[in-house]
Amino acid sequence: REDRLVYSVKEMAELLGVGRSTAYELVRSGSIASLRFGRRIVIPKIALQRLLDGSEPASNNCGC
């Protein structure tokens, strides 16, 4: 997984050790940046790293 640029919401939930509904709430609230491709939502790896560093902006648009 280290070479991936984006993660699905389900993968993000697994990495963070939270439930899927909590992961979707993080996306919905803008607590983590995400990208939407049709119905698919992906989380850029850099956004996940920023969240864990405590520096993720409260934005739903990834400024990667």
Side-chain angles (χ1 to χ4, degrees):
R1 288 186 181 180
E2 293 179 20
D3 60 336
R4 309 236 348 240
L5 295 177
V6 296
Y7 297 101
S8 70
V9 177
K10 181 181 176 188
E11 290 170 327
M12 179 188 71
E14 291 172 4
L15 289 168
L16 294 176
V18 299
R20 201 173 77 188
S21 61
T22 300
Y24 275 103
E25 178 58 26
L26 289 170
V27 170
R28 189 201 64 73
S29 69
S31 295
I32 189 163
S34 62
L35 300 169
R36 183 180 285 271
F37 298 104
R39 294 188 59 169
R40 182 178 160 105
I41 299 171
V42 295
I43 313 304
K45 182 177 181 178
I46 193 167
L48 186 56
Q49 290 170 332
R50 288 178 181 162
L51 176 72
L52 295 173
D53 291 340
S55 60
E56 177 63 23
S59 168
N60 213 19
N61 297 319
C62 180
C64 303

